Amino acid sequence: MAFLGATISRVVRCHSLFPLPCGAGSRRYSSSSQSDHTAEKSVPYQNTLKQTEGGASGPTKPLPQSADVVVIGGGSLGCQTLYHLAKMGVSNAVLLERDRLTAGTTWHTAGLLWQLRPSDTEVELLAHTRNVISSELEMETGLNTGWIQNGGLFIASNKQRLDEYKRLMSLGKVYGIESFVLSPAETKDLYPLMNVDDLYGTLYVPKDGTMDPAGTCTTLSRAASARGATVIENCPVTGIQVKEDHLGVRRVKAVDTDFGTIETPCVVNCAGVWATKLGQMAGVNVPLIAMHHAYVVTERIEGIQNMPNVRDHDASVYLRLQGDALSVGGYEQNPVFWEEVSDKFAFSLFDLDWDVFMQHIEGAVNRVPALERTGIKSTVCGPAQGLPAPAPTICPSGMMLGGGCGRELAHWIIYGRPEKDMYGYDIRWVFVARFRSHESYAKNYSVVFPFDEPLASRNMRLDPFHKVLQDQGCVFQERHGWERPGWFSRQGAAPVLDYDYYGAYDVPQNINYKYNDLLGKEYTFSFPPHHDVIKEECLACRNAVAVFNMSYFGKFYLVGPDAKKAADWLFTADVNKAPGSTVYTCMLNKNGGAESDLTVSRLEPGLTRLPLAPEFNGDSYYLAVGGAVAQHNWSHIQTVLQDRGFRCSLIDQSEQMGMISIQGPKSRELLQEVLDADLSNEAFPFSTHRVVSAAGHQVSILSFQPGAVFFDSPVSSGRTTVSLSPVSSFCPHPASWLFGPVLLSSPGCPAGCSGTCMPVQDRWCAGQASCGARRSSVFHLLCLLGSRSASASLFFFVWSAVLHLFRSLCCLHPL
């Protein structure tokens, strides 16, 4: 037995006994078995579903010949998904578990449930999980899931953290979640063993609590079985059969095991840490990284009974009530990666690496001083899955979100889409999982600021204009893998450097990191320091002209014999105007909800003068879609084409084409210098497009003129928008450059309105200038990015013209 207080001093004193190998990619940790530390490895639950000696070696039930849905993985999410499928009427659903229920990562999870998160979607998911586990299941089955409602306490050691908690409390009020901000004295009354000397305050949520993995999954499986579902344990999956249909679409046909095959049209991958291997069986990439996650269980602590669970975010520590003891865990900046995931790992734990874990102990002892004199009963170090996204990315979060996610998965399977906005959980946008997974884990307890940007997995998708904008002081934001311009710093270039793991794994930490320093100054819930810069940029766009790089937009071509039928089905507006027309429209789903807003251009049949445009003889359309949701829109359109059987193709040219936007009352004057075409209203009317020459290169230009409001709805949250209001709090800026065709545009306002109205993020701002005084044209200019030198020369040509106008009209700052 070890004492927490002694552990700190011993680990520090004996640090040289635990050398840290160099090399982030091949990091290996020694397993400490020193006498100073307990060697006992045991989860703190009275009951687990671990199979005893001499247990069954084959499936617990015969395999059915077919099933409507096969769920693979018997952890929290798998059981929740099966339960909700059965509850929604899918009685012929089967769950396959390679060992016993909970055997992978669920059996050792801490089981904490916190109701408040910064995301409204996650608050709703958590609320559903709590409702299922705390009341719904017991009412259905008469069984106790093991739910304990002991409350939750969030610790604020500084003003910013307390501000975050106040925002959480306000969000919770919308959903009826009871919570209270407590002073240090009130916190001491609630939790007498807590040190409150360094606190600003706390947030107390009385109805938070703790879940029991075995009790929860057992009750879920019994409730699902009572509704006709089948749970089969000891049945590893060996393969997933995928075949192409008559349209060339790959579809699941069956699931193979050593004990038989189950024919099914639908497979749900709930394999947790093993999800990547399972996905490979179907040819699907699951960007998941396996890590070690650990906590220790203390001996009995007098006076700890009935205390709430504690999250000390600033110390990166959580304290879970365990009867008359505590489980102490946290999230470190140097988690251990599980490089080779074993298929035989069931109800197993790793040896705890004290070198890694010791950073949590000091914070825990500071918060509850009684821990310094308390022994460690056992250690728990098991695998956890990490994803570079929010949601159930880390095992301890997975169970608390499992009920809500299970319901959304079931709804998606039955009705074709989830009921809630699950865009943040979509893995299709992930490019490099390892770096972003590490950052997600390391920053799990960080304050969630509105202007924060990741440092990991950056510079993955760069357009040809990236460097010139960076040299001009552009501070980039990451969207869907693209480096999108955010704003321009007067302090010069601030490049995004290679990821340094925050100095972990012996990787040298980036020093004098200007980009990171700028981000740090934006860590506020108020106006960021660059607010005035953006104001000036907005005024320049209003009074003169501004250039936006929108090359990160999705650029798709819809071609084929049924392209017209597909367009009529997909888009809300009538896009079948005369060739050469452009229509701003929406796409809706089956429920009438908005999937996207986009522009659709009907193309001239026959050969085109643009090299990247596909050859076609019939109807064909060019689609410009917001960059942050491009993959989502691509998938929606592809699904419609497949389900409706339309004989047409969707061609993605997003990375081969650039998009520039020119905006402002001087945009027509600028473009007339750049293009060899007549841009008058008569020659180039509203809502049309044409192929012209710019700097010796063929480009396609789309026109939007006065009388139309050009904006992006909240559905396309990643698309660049401009506010012409000097009081706007945030918007993209004159030279925002993103990937795709070149877009030249300038916002107008509805005819007859008294002010210029443009959306900023998902808000509206009203300008002060009269409508007539600010009318200007809107143009989309599409250019080929196949040749980086050619597209760059076009950019420099446009940029030089813009600079000339800026210098003569309203230069913002030296460039």
Side-chain angles (χ1 to χ4, degrees), residues 28-261:
R28 292 291 185 275
Y29 294 90
S30 59
S31 297
S32 174
S33 58
Q34 306 295 319
S35 58
D36 287 338
H37 310 303
T38 177
E40 177 67 23
K41 295 186 295 182
S42 177
V43 295
Y45 301 108
Q46 292 184 353
N47 299 310
T48 68
L49 302 179
K50 186 173 182 180
Q51 201 167 320
T52 57
E53 295 292 334
S57 58
T60 54
K61 295 178 183 177
L63 270 65
Q65 184 176 353
S66 63
D68 294 331
V69 181
V70 174
V71 179
I72 303 176
S76 169
L77 183 58
C79 292
Q80 289 277 12
T81 302
L82 185 74
Y83 166 74
H84 284 92
L85 282 169
K87 192 169 183 178
M88 292 183 188
V90 182
S91 58
N92 187 23
V94 175
L95 184 150
L96 298 178
E97 164 56 42
R98 64 186 178 91
D99 197 272
R100 306 289 292 185
L101 295 183
T102 75
T105 61
T106 298
W107 82 290
H108 61 74
T109 182
L112 295 163
L113 194 151
W114 317 93
Q115 296 178 87
L116 294 180
R117 298 281 275 248
S119 161
D120 54 351
T121 297
E122 290 192 8
V123 170
E124 294 175 357
L125 298 176
L126 290 165
H128 183 71
T129 300
R130 186 188 179 284
N131 182 59
V132 168
I133 294 176
S134 66
S135 59
E136 192 174 295
L137 281 173
E138 188 166 355
M139 290 175 62
E140 285 188 34
T141 64
L143 300 174
N144 185 356
T145 63
W147 165 255
I148 299 173
Q149 182 177 299
N150 59 314
L153 195 60
F154 288 5
I155 306 300
S157 301
N158 54 70
K159 183 181 182 301
Q160 283 187 326
R161 184 68 78 176
L162 191 59
D163 287 344
E164 181 187 35
Y165 292 164
K166 289 177 180 179
R167 294 166 69 92
L168 291 180
M169 182 177 69
S170 297
L171 178 61
K173 287 180 180 179
V174 177
Y175 293 98
I177 299 173
E178 185 182 30
S179 61
F180 308 93
V181 172
L182 305 181
S183 67
E186 292 170 324
T187 303
K188 187 71 173 180
D189 291 339
L190 175 67
Y191 203 119
L193 293 181
M194 181 172 292
N195 169 32
V196 300
D197 293 343
D198 57 348
L199 296 190
Y200 265 69
T202 58
L203 179 66
Y204 176 51
V205 187
K207 294 184 180 179
D208 284 353
T210 310
M211 302 169 287
D212 177 76
T216 298
C217 290
T218 298
T219 310
L220 285 167
S221 64
R222 291 187 182 181
S225 298
R227 296 176 182 269
T230 303
V231 177
I232 303 176
E233 300 173 275
N234 296 324
C235 187
V237 171
T238 57
I240 299 175
Q241 297 182 24
V242 179
K243 296 182 180 179
E244 290 189 358
D245 63 13
H246 64 288
L247 294 174
V249 179
R250 299 176 71 251
R251 300 188 184 275
V252 169
K253 294 298 180 183
V255 174
D256 296 326
T257 76
D258 287 334
F259 309 99
T261 296

Side-chain angles (χ1 to χ4, degrees), residues 760-783:
V760 180
Q761 305 297 359
D762 53 0
R763 306 185 300 281
W764 288 90
C765 290
Q768 304 300 316
S770 66
C771 178
R774 298 303 172 195
R775 292 189 175 220
S776 54
S777 298
V778 177
F779 299 95
H780 290 206
L781 180 61
L782 315 179
C783 69

Side-chain angles (χ1 to χ4, degrees), residues 439-459:
E439 186 175 38
S440 227
Y441 188 98
K443 294 183 66 175
N444 191 45
Y445 277 2
S446 297
V447 177
V448 181
F449 291 107
F451 303 107
D452 196 11
E453 290 291 326
L455 297 178
S457 300
R458 298 294 298 268
N459 296 323

Side-chain angles (χ1 to χ4, degrees), residues 475-789:
V475 179
F476 286 92
Q477 302 166 339
E478 188 276 339
R479 298 295 183 272
H480 201 250
W482 293 110
E483 291 298 311
R484 183 185 83 171
W487 56 284
F488 281 83
S489 170
R490 294 190 178 96
Q491 302 173 20
V496 179
L497 304 180
D498 291 341
Y499 187 53
D500 61 3
Y501 287 92
Y502 292 88
Y505 312 123
D506 299 322
V507 176
Q509 192 164 6
N510 292 321
I511 58 175
N512 300 321
Y513 193 177
K514 192 172 181 180
Y515 181 83
N516 193 28
D517 293 340
L518 289 172
L519 284 185
K521 294 176 182 178
E522 294 185 358
Y523 288 167
T524 175
F525 293 110
S526 183
F527 291 120
H530 65 267
H531 178 65
D532 291 338
V533 175
I534 296 175
K535 170 187 172 181
E536 294 178 9
E537 292 175 342
C538 292
L539 290 174
C541 184
R542 159 179 278 180
N543 297 321
V545 63
V547 181
F548 294 77
N549 177 14
M550 304 179 73
S551 299
Y552 85 131
F553 266 43
K555 281 92 47 191
F556 309 145
Y557 286 96
L558 181 63
V559 300
D562 290 340
K564 183 177 182 298
K565 291 182 180 179
D568 287 339
W569 182 269
L570 282 164
F571 309 121
T572 57
D574 181 9
V575 298
N576 287 302
K577 310 290 185 181
S581 63
T582 296
V583 177
Y584 177 69
T585 183
C586 289
M587 287 193 296
L588 305 183
N589 53 48
K590 295 178 181 178
N591 297 325
E595 285 288 337
S596 173
D597 68 323
L598 68 163
T599 58
V600 180
S601 301
R602 190 175 183 187
L603 305 178
E604 295 277 358
L607 295 176
T608 176
R609 285 178 287 169
L610 291 177
L612 287 178
E615 295 185 11
F616 60 94
N617 294 318
D619 296 302
S620 180
Y621 305 86
Y622 166 78
L623 284 55
V625 185
V629 292
Q631 181 61 50
H632 176 81
N633 288 180
W634 169 273
S635 299
H636 172 74
I637 296 172
Q638 288 283 40
T639 299
V640 170
L641 299 183
Q642 295 168 8
D643 292 348
R644 303 296 302 179
F646 291 126
R647 295 171 301 154
C648 54
S649 301
L650 189 65
I651 302 171
D652 186 359
Q653 298 287 17
S654 299
E655 299 201 23
Q656 287 73 41
M657 301 178 73
M659 177 180 285
I660 302 175
S661 170
I662 307 295
Q663 305 189 14
K666 297 293 184 179
S667 58
R668 186 182 298 271
E669 179 181 337
L670 167 63
L671 286 177
Q672 198 62 74
E673 295 185 22
V674 174
L675 306 179
D676 64 351
D678 183 358
L679 300 180
S680 65
N681 289 334
E682 295 74 23
F684 197 9
F686 164 71
S687 197
T688 60
H689 68 273
R690 59 197 289 193
V691 176
V692 297
S693 177
H697 303 288
Q698 296 297 301
V699 299
S700 178
I701 182 170
L702 287 69
S703 169
F704 291 84
Q705 292 182 331
V709 180
F710 178 74
F711 66 95
D712 294 292
S713 73
V715 174
S716 295
S717 59
R719 182 165 176 175
T720 299
T721 59
V722 173
S723 168
L724 301 188
S725 166
V727 299
S728 65
S729 64
F730 176 82
C731 65
H733 338 305
S736 291
W737 293 86
L738 309 120
F739 260 97
V742 182
L743 169 92
L744 303 169
S745 64
S746 117
C749 52
C753 80
S754 60
T756 302
C757 300
M758 280 287 120
V760 180
Q761 305 297 359
D762 53 0
R763 306 185 300 281
W764 288 90
C765 290
Q768 304 300 316
S770 66
C771 178
R774 298 303 172 195
R775 292 189 175 220
S776 54
S777 298
V778 177
F779 299 95
H780 290 206
L781 180 61
L782 315 179
C783 69
L784 173 66
L785 291 187
S787 167
R788 297 181 69 89
S789 59

Side-chain angles (χ1 to χ4, degrees), residues 355-412:
D355 280 348
V356 176
F357 189 79
M358 62 85 63
Q359 58 195 282
H360 304 305
I361 297 176
E362 186 171 1
V365 171
N366 174 66
R367 190 56 52 220
V368 180
L371 288 173
E372 188 171 13
R373 303 178 302 277
T374 304
I376 299 174
K377 183 178 181 181
S378 64
T379 67
V380 180
C381 183
Q385 58 267 26
L387 277 169
T393 58
I394 304 299
C395 185
S397 298
M399 188 170 181
M400 73 172 80
L401 288 161
C405 290
R407 180 179 64 175
E408 295 308 307
L409 278 171
H411 201 279
W412 197 344

